[in-house]
Amino acid sequence: MPQIIFFIIAVGGVWLLYRRFVRDAQKLAEKSRRAETERRTGAMGTLVKDPKTGEYHVKRGDE
């Protein structure tokens, strides 16, 4: 019985690590795509609309 509990905990931990890896990989791919688009167009950042105020601000890669 303790082996089953250990196995379930181990599988759960591996699953959580896998999900975190996938999420980080997606963020990195999106950042890379955005940087490539900015490099291609010569932009200094991306305009993002603030939903509360309706104003636009520049979102750079480090934000």
Side-chain angles (χ1 to χ4, degrees), residues 10-23:
V11 168
V14 168
W15 175 253
L16 290 175
L17 289 174
Y18 170 75
R19 295 297 302 161
R20 186 172 182 177
F21 172 76
V22 168
R23 184 181 34 199

Side-chain angles (χ1 to χ4, degrees), residues 27-54:
K27 285 181 185 178
L28 183 60
E30 177 61 32
K31 183 178 177 182
S32 176
R33 269 194 300 271
R34 191 177 320 118
E36 177 59 33
T37 302
E38 289 177 4
R39 203 173 13 256
R40 194 170 9 98
T41 61
M44 299 301 291
T46 302
L47 286 178
V48 179
K49 186 175 183 179
D50 184 6
K52 292 181 182 177
T53 63

